[in-house]
Amino acid sequence: EEMIHLPTKPDSNSGVLVWPMSETFTMDYKEFSAIYPNYLDSNKTVKLGRRIAVKDALPEPTIQDIHEALVSLNIRHAIQPHKGYSRDASSRWDNSGRVLVDLVGAVESGVMDMNPDGAFDLGEDIPDMDNIENYQNKENKKGGGTGKKQLLRQLAQIVRDLPSRQKRLEEKIKMLEEEKLKAAKAEKVATKTGGSSGGGGNRKKKGKKKK
Protein backbone atom coordinates (compact mmCIF):
# COMPACT_ATOMS: atom_id res chain seq x y z
CA GLU A 1 0.00 0.00 0.00
CA GLU A 2 1.04 3.60 -0.57
CA MET A 3 2.74 5.09 2.50
CA ILE A 4 2.22 8.57 3.96
CA HIS A 5 5.47 10.49 4.31
CA LEU A 6 5.39 13.13 7.03
CA PRO A 7 7.31 16.36 6.40
CA THR A 8 10.69 16.65 8.09
CA LYS A 9 10.71 18.89 11.16
CA PRO A 10 12.69 22.04 10.27
CA ASP A 11 15.88 22.82 12.14
CA SER A 12 15.07 25.54 14.69
CA ASN A 13 18.23 27.38 13.64
CA SER A 14 17.47 27.27 9.92
CA GLY A 15 15.82 29.86 7.71
CA VAL A 16 17.34 32.91 9.43
CA LEU A 17 16.44 36.23 7.79
CA VAL A 18 18.34 39.41 8.60
CA TRP A 19 17.56 43.10 8.31
CA PRO A 20 18.95 45.10 6.67
CA MET A 21 19.21 42.52 3.89
CA SER A 22 22.49 44.06 2.76
CA GLU A 23 24.05 42.38 5.84
CA THR A 24 22.73 38.92 5.00
CA PHE A 25 26.23 37.43 4.81
CA THR A 26 28.02 39.72 7.24
CA MET A 27 25.75 40.27 10.26
CA ASP A 28 26.93 38.63 13.48
CA TYR A 29 23.71 38.24 15.49
CA LYS A 30 25.01 35.73 18.06
CA GLU A 31 25.15 38.43 20.76
CA PHE A 32 21.76 39.96 19.86
CA SER A 33 18.91 39.80 22.38
CA ALA A 34 15.86 37.62 21.71
CA ILE A 35 12.30 38.93 21.53
CA TYR A 36 9.51 36.35 21.34
CA PRO A 37 5.89 37.26 20.43
CA ASN A 38 4.99 36.04 23.94
CA TYR A 39 6.83 39.03 25.42
CA LEU A 40 4.21 41.40 23.95
CA ASP A 41 1.13 39.15 24.04
CA SER A 42 -1.65 40.32 26.35
CA ASN A 43 -3.21 36.83 26.17
CA LYS A 44 -0.16 35.32 27.86
CA THR A 45 0.55 35.29 31.57
CA VAL A 46 3.90 36.27 33.07
CA LYS A 47 4.53 32.54 33.54
CA LEU A 48 4.10 32.03 29.78
CA GLY A 49 6.46 34.84 28.88
CA ARG A 50 4.68 38.20 28.89
CA ARG A 51 7.30 40.80 29.86
CA ILE A 52 5.24 44.02 29.92
CA ALA A 53 2.02 45.02 31.67
CA VAL A 54 -1.27 43.86 30.11
CA LYS A 55 -2.29 47.46 29.47
CA ASP A 56 0.82 47.95 27.31
CA ALA A 57 0.61 44.57 25.55
CA LEU A 58 -1.63 43.45 22.68
CA PRO A 59 -3.19 40.16 21.56
CA GLU A 60 -1.44 37.77 19.18
CA PRO A 61 1.57 39.76 17.92
CA THR A 62 3.68 37.88 15.36
CA ILE A 63 7.34 37.94 14.37
CA GLN A 64 6.24 39.68 11.16
CA ASP A 65 4.66 42.44 13.29
CA ILE A 66 7.81 42.76 15.40
CA HIS A 67 9.97 42.83 12.28
CA GLU A 68 7.95 45.67 10.73
CA ALA A 69 8.07 47.65 13.98
CA LEU A 70 11.84 47.21 14.25
CA VAL A 71 12.28 48.32 10.63
CA SER A 72 10.31 51.50 11.41
CA LEU A 73 12.78 52.15 14.26
CA ASN A 74 15.74 51.32 12.02
CA ILE A 75 17.03 48.64 14.41
CA ARG A 76 19.16 45.79 13.08
CA HIS A 77 17.75 42.34 13.72
CA ALA A 78 17.58 38.71 12.61
CA ILE A 79 14.46 36.54 12.39
CA GLN A 80 14.46 32.87 13.39
CA PRO A 81 11.03 31.62 12.18
CA HIS A 82 11.24 28.11 13.66
CA LYS A 83 12.11 28.96 17.27
CA GLY A 84 9.51 28.56 20.02
CA TYR A 85 9.40 30.06 23.49
CA SER A 86 10.62 27.37 25.90
CA ARG A 87 8.16 28.22 28.70
CA ASP A 88 5.14 27.99 26.38
CA ALA A 89 4.90 24.66 24.54
CA SER A 90 2.06 25.90 22.29
CA SER A 91 4.33 28.59 20.82
CA ARG A 92 6.39 25.90 19.12
CA TRP A 93 3.60 25.26 16.59
CA ASP A 94 1.24 28.21 17.09
CA ASN A 95 2.75 31.65 16.41
CA SER A 96 6.32 30.36 16.46
CA GLY A 97 9.52 32.28 15.85
CA ARG A 98 11.63 34.89 17.55
CA VAL A 99 13.56 38.02 16.59
CA LEU A 100 17.16 38.65 17.63
CA VAL A 101 17.65 42.38 18.19
CA ASP A 102 20.76 44.58 18.22
CA LEU A 103 20.16 46.35 21.55
CA VAL A 104 23.58 47.98 21.50
CA GLY A 105 22.70 49.66 18.21
CA ALA A 106 19.28 50.64 19.58
CA VAL A 107 20.93 52.40 22.53
CA GLU A 108 23.50 54.09 20.33
CA SER A 109 20.77 55.41 18.02
CA GLY A 110 18.75 56.74 20.98
CA VAL A 111 15.77 54.41 20.50
CA MET A 112 16.15 53.03 24.03
CA ASP A 113 18.14 53.84 27.18
CA MET A 114 20.33 51.68 29.36
CA ASN A 115 19.11 50.67 32.79
CA PRO A 116 20.55 52.63 35.76
CA ASP A 117 22.94 49.74 36.43
CA GLY A 118 24.41 50.10 32.94
CA ALA A 119 22.58 47.09 31.51
CA PHE A 120 19.82 47.10 28.90
CA ASP A 121 18.67 43.50 28.68
CA LEU A 122 16.00 41.66 30.64
CA GLY A 123 18.10 38.53 30.96
CA GLU A 124 16.03 35.93 32.78
CA ASP A 125 13.98 38.55 34.61
CA ILE A 126 11.07 36.23 35.32
CA PRO A 127 9.72 36.16 38.89
CA ASP A 128 9.21 33.10 41.02
CA MET A 129 5.74 31.70 40.44
CA ASP A 130 4.78 32.52 44.04
CA ASN A 131 5.36 36.22 43.39
CA ILE A 132 3.59 36.63 40.04
CA GLU A 133 0.69 38.71 41.43
CA ASN A 134 3.03 41.17 43.17
CA TYR A 135 5.19 41.32 40.04
CA GLN A 136 2.19 42.12 37.82
CA ASN A 137 0.97 44.84 40.19
CA LYS A 138 4.44 46.38 40.13
CA GLU A 139 4.53 46.23 36.32
CA ASN A 140 1.13 47.91 35.98
CA LYS A 141 2.42 50.93 37.93
CA LYS A 142 5.49 51.41 35.71
CA GLY A 143 5.79 53.94 32.94
CA GLY A 144 8.00 53.77 29.88
CA GLY A 145 11.01 52.68 31.91
CA THR A 146 14.43 51.94 30.45
CA GLY A 147 16.24 49.04 28.88
CA LYS A 148 14.65 46.25 26.92
CA LYS A 149 11.20 46.74 28.48
CA GLN A 150 11.22 50.28 27.16
CA LEU A 151 11.79 48.87 23.68
CA LEU A 152 9.10 46.21 24.15
CA ARG A 153 6.55 48.88 25.03
CA GLN A 154 7.53 50.91 21.96
CA LEU A 155 7.21 47.85 19.74
CA ALA A 156 3.78 47.00 21.13
CA GLN A 157 2.59 50.55 20.49
CA ILE A 158 3.84 50.49 16.88
CA VAL A 159 2.53 46.98 16.17
CA ARG A 160 -0.94 47.94 17.38
CA ASP A 161 -1.35 50.39 14.48
CA LEU A 162 0.34 48.45 11.68
CA PRO A 163 -1.89 48.32 8.55
CA SER A 164 -0.74 44.76 7.79
CA ARG A 165 -1.78 43.64 11.28
CA GLN A 166 -5.17 45.34 10.99
CA LYS A 167 -5.76 43.59 7.65
CA ARG A 168 -4.73 40.21 9.08
CA LEU A 169 -7.06 40.55 12.06
CA GLU A 170 -9.95 41.63 9.81
CA GLU A 171 -9.39 38.59 7.58
CA LYS A 172 -9.25 36.32 10.63
CA ILE A 173 -12.55 37.71 11.96
CA LYS A 174 -14.14 37.27 8.53
CA MET A 175 -12.90 33.68 8.29
CA LEU A 176 -14.22 32.85 11.78
CA GLU A 177 -17.61 34.33 10.89
CA GLU A 178 -17.76 32.28 7.68
CA GLU A 179 -16.85 29.10 9.57
CA LYS A 180 -19.53 29.87 12.17
CA LEU A 181 -22.10 30.40 9.41
CA LYS A 182 -21.14 27.12 7.70
CA ALA A 183 -21.41 25.26 10.99
CA ALA A 184 -24.88 26.74 11.62
CA LYS A 185 -26.05 25.73 8.13
CA ALA A 186 -24.67 22.22 8.54
CA GLU A 187 -26.44 21.87 11.88
CA LYS A 188 -29.69 23.08 10.33
CA VAL A 189 -29.44 20.56 7.48
CA ALA A 190 -28.60 17.76 9.91
CA THR A 191 -31.60 18.62 12.09
CA LYS A 192 -33.92 18.74 9.06
CA THR A 193 -32.61 15.44 7.70
CA GLY A 194 -32.91 13.77 11.07
CA GLY A 195 -36.53 14.93 11.42
CA SER A 196 -37.58 13.74 7.98
CA SER A 197 -35.94 10.31 8.36
CA GLY A 198 -37.99 9.61 11.43
CA GLY A 199 -41.33 10.41 9.80
CA GLY A 200 -42.25 6.93 8.64
CA GLY A 201 -44.73 6.23 11.44
CA ASN A 202 -47.81 6.23 9.20
CA ARG A 203 -46.58 3.52 6.85
CA LYS A 204 -48.59 0.29 6.89
CA LYS A 205 -46.71 -2.72 8.03
CA LYS A 206 -46.92 -5.71 5.73
CA GLY A 207 -48.19 -8.81 7.48
CA LYS A 208 -47.08 -12.30 6.83
CA LYS A 209 -48.91 -14.10 4.06
CA LYS A 210 -51.20 -16.89 5.19
CA LYS A 211 -50.26 -20.31 3.92
Side-chain angles (χ1 to χ4, degrees):
E1 295 182 2
E2 186 177 355
M3 299 293 292
I4 296 176
H5 299 283
L6 297 175
T8 305
K9 181 180 178 181
D11 181 355
S12 61
N13 292 312
S14 66
V16 178
L17 305 170
V18 305
W19 189 92
M21 294 179 65
S22 60
E23 297 185 37
T24 298
F25 301 106
T26 59
M27 182 183 290
D28 183 7
Y29 50 82
K30 293 179 181 178
E31 299 300 320
F32 285 8
S33 182
I35 293 181
Y36 292 88
N38 290 49
Y39 289 5
L40 310 176
D41 197 336
S42 59
N43 292 331
K44 301 295 184 181
T45 62
V46 172
K47 183 179 179 180
L48 292 179
R50 180 172 50 77
R51 296 293 183 90
I52 56 178
V54 173
K55 65 181 180 65
D56 296 322
L58 69 161
E60 300 179 18
T62 64
I63 55 172
Q64 177 65 30
D65 294 335
I66 296 170
H67 158 67
E68 291 183 31
L70 288 168
V71 169
S72 72
L73 294 172
N74 198 33
I75 298 177
R76 299 166 68 237
H77 59 278
I79 301 170
Q80 293 181 309
H82 304 304
K83 286 286 187 179
Y85 186 58
S86 60
R87 294 176 183 267
D88 181 10
S90 66
S91 71
R92 297 174 187 176
W93 64 84
D94 180 25
N95 199 18
S96 64
R98 71 177 182 181
V99 184
L100 302 178
V101 183
D102 178 15
L103 295 186
V104 174
V107 171
E108 291 176 350
S109 62
V111 174
M112 56 176 276
D113 303 313
M114 282 190 173
N115 290 324
D117 59 1
F120 48 68
D121 199 359
L122 285 169
E124 291 302 317
D125 183 25
I126 293 188
D128 295 332
M129 294 303 101
D130 294 336
N131 297 322
I132 282 183
E133 187 174 353
N134 293 334
Y135 178 83
Q136 289 176 323
N137 291 335
K138 183 180 178 182
E139 279 292 287
N140 287 332
K141 294 177 182 178
K142 287 185 178 181
T146 58
K148 190 172 178 180
K149 287 187 180 179
Q150 177 189 12
L151 177 60
L152 293 179
R153 291 186 178 95
Q154 288 186 65
L155 293 176
Q157 187 174 3
I158 294 171
V159 166
R160 187 174 282 108
D161 298 323
L162 287 174
S164 58
R165 172 182 168 79
Q166 297 296 334
K167 183 179 180 181
R168 185 181 73 247
L169 294 178
E170 288 172 2
E171 290 176 349
K172 181 178 180 180
I173 292 173
K174 183 179 179 181
M175 183 181 68
L176 291 174
E177 289 176 348
E178 290 176 351
E179 290 179 354
K180 187 177 180 181
L181 185 61
K182 286 180 182 179
K185 286 182 178 179
E187 185 178 358
K188 186 176 181 181
V189 171
T191 303
K192 186 176 180 181
T193 304
S196 60
S197 62
N202 295 327
R203 293 180 182 178
K204 293 182 178 180
K205 294 183 179 179
K206 293 183 179 180
K208 294 182 179 180
K209 292 183 179 180
K210 294 181 179 180
K211 292 183 180 180

